[in-house]
C-alpha cells in the first residue's frame, strides 16, 4: 500500500516562474490537505480539498496560489510568479473522509 | 480563533528516561487529536491519536492522555531511545460541521542523549 506520494521532492525556481507541486493521495483517500513549513517552524494549513471541490482555502494566499484535486490524477498546488518568500517545504496529507491523515515526504521549493 | 499551544519547544532527556509533551487547544468542538513525529528532511509521521470519547490510549512505549474539560492533551514516551529524537507535533481536528482542518502545535524538538 503505497503512501502519499509527492513530487518533485526538490524544486528550484527563479523569481517570477511558476511552481507546480503534485500530490497523489493514498489509495482510497478522497481528501487532501496542503501545509507549508518554514525551516524550524510548524505546519501552517493552506487548503483542504475533496475530489473536484475546494472545501477550505482559508490558509492560502488569495493571489498567486491555487490548488486543485481533479476527478482523475493528483492534487496540484500551483504558485505563480514565485518570490523568495515562497521558499519552504510544502507537505500534503491525505485521508478518508474525517479519518486519519497521512503525510507525504514533502516538496522543498527554493526560489533563487 | 483556532489555536493549539504546545510545550516545551525543546526537550532533552537521558536515554531511558521519560519525555512528556503537552498541548492545549482552544476549539471546544475539536474531537480528534493526533500526534506526529517528524525526522529531519522527512514528512510528519502519525504515531498515535486519541478521540474525545477516550481519556487515554497506549501503544507500547508511547501514550496519549486527554482532558476534555481542561482542553489539554499530552504525549508520554517512556524508556526513550536515541531514535526517538525528532520534532513532535500535536494537532487538533474537529469532525463536526464547520472547519475541516488539522490545527498543529508549534512542535517540540526532542533530543535523547545516549
Amino acid at each position: 500500500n503505497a503512501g502519499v506520494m509527492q513530487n518533485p521532492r526538490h524544486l528550484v525556481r527563479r523569481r517570477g516562474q511558476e511552481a507546480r507541486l503534485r500530490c497523489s493521495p493514498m489509495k482510497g483517500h478522497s481528501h487532501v490537505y496542503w501545509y507549508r513549513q518554514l525551516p524550524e517552524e510548524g505546519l501552517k494549513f493552506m487548503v483542504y480539498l475533496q475530489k473536484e471541490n475546494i472545501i477550505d482555502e482559508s490558509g492560502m494566499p488569495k493571489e498567486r496560489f491555487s490548488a486543485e484535486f481533479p476527478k482523475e490524477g493528483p492534487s496540484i498546488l500551483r504558485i505563480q510568479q514565485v518570490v523568495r518568500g515562497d521558499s519552504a517545504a510544502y507537505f500534503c496529507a491525505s485521508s478518508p473522509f474525517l479519518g486519519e491523515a497521512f503525510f507525504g515526504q514533502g516538496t522543498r521549493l527554493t526560489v533563487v | 480563533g483556532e489555536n493549539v499551544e504546545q510545550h516545551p519547544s525543546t526537550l532533552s532527556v537521558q536515554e531511558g528516561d521519560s519525555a512528556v509533551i503537552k498541548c492545549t487547544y482552544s476549539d471546544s468542538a475539536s474531537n480528534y487529536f493526533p500526534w506526529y513525529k517528524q525526522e529531519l528532511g522527512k514528512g510528519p509521521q502519525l504515531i498515535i491519536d486519541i478521540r474525545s470519547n477516550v481519556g487515554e490510549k497506549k501503544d507500547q512505549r508511547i501514550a496519549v492522555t486527554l482532558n476534555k474539560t481542561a482542553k489539554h492533551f499530552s504525549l508520554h514516551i517512556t524508556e526513550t531511545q536515541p531514535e526517538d529524537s525528532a520534532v513532535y507535533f500535536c494537532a487538533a481536528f474537529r469532525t463536526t460541521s464547520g472547519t475541516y482542518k488539522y490545527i498543529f502545535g508549534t512542535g517540540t524538538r526532542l533530543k535523547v542523549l545516549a
Side-chain angles (χ1 to χ4, degrees):
Chain A
N1 184 16
V4 179
M5 303 301 291
Q6 287 189 251
N7 66 81
R9 291 293 308 278
H10 300 275
L11 181 61
V12 179
R13 282 288 176 267
R14 295 187 184 279
R15 281 177 294 170
Q17 290 184 321
E18 177 179 287
R20 189 173 293 206
L21 289 61
R22 296 176 192 78
C23 170
S24 295
M26 288 178 68
K27 187 176 181 180
H29 287 186
S30 57
H31 297 257
V32 165
Y33 301 84
W34 285 93
Y35 285 81
R36 170 184 158 124
Q37 187 177 41
L38 294 171
E40 304 295 318
E41 292 192 11
L43 295 151
K44 299 297 183 188
F45 170 79
M46 297 183 73
V47 62
Y48 167 43
L49 308 106
Q50 186 183 334
K51 287 275 187 185
E52 299 184 279
N53 282 308
I54 297 175
I55 307 299
D56 184 342
E57 56 182 346
S58 59
M60 199 158 65
K62 299 245 184 298
E63 298 185 357
R64 302 192 298 109
F65 286 73
S66 62
E68 62 178 11
F69 188 15
K71 187 177 180 181
E72 301 291 337
S75 175
I76 306 287
L77 178 67
R78 186 181 292 109
I79 312 173
Q80 295 178 302
Q81 299 176 318
V82 296
V83 300
R84 288 228 171 99
D86 296 332
S87 296
Y90 293 83
F91 290 96
C92 84
S94 75
S95 75
F97 182 55
L98 302 181
E100 296 89 347
F102 296 90
F103 281 83
Q105 295 299 326
T107 292
R108 280 148 187 84
L109 172 65
T110 302
V111 179
V112 297
Chain B
E2 305 145 344
N3 189 39
V4 175
E5 294 187 0
Q6 183 172 346
H7 300 282
S9 56
T10 60
L11 178 60
S12 293
V13 298
Q14 289 294 135
E15 183 177 359
D17 286 351
S18 295
V20 181
I21 302 170
K22 298 182 179 181
C23 288
T24 304
Y25 60 98
S26 59
D27 183 359
S28 57
S30 296
N31 53 12
Y32 173 61
F33 307 93
W35 285 88
Y36 290 85
K37 173 184 180 182
Q38 187 177 27
E39 296 175 315
L40 190 64
K42 296 186 177 181
Q45 176 191 3
L46 178 66
I47 57 171
I48 195 167
D49 56 16
I50 192 167
R51 297 192 182 270
S52 60
N53 57 348
V54 176
E56 183 174 355
K57 183 176 177 181
K58 189 173 181 181
D59 182 4
Q60 299 183 347
R61 295 187 299 109
I62 59 173
V64 57
T65 58
L66 171 65
N67 182 330
K68 279 185 63 180
T69 304
K71 296 183 192 170
H72 289 169
F73 59 113
S74 300
L75 177 71
H76 305 252
I77 306 174
T78 58
E79 300 171 24
T80 53
Q81 302 167 2
E83 51 266 36
D84 294 329
S85 296
V87 179
Y88 291 80
F89 291 98
C90 62
F93 183 74
R94 61 189 291 179
T95 58
T96 52
S97 61
T99 305
Y100 296 104
K101 63 189 176 197
Y102 290 83
I103 305 298
F104 282 85
T106 48
T108 297
R109 183 174 299 278
L110 174 65
K111 294 182 184 177
V112 179
L113 308 170

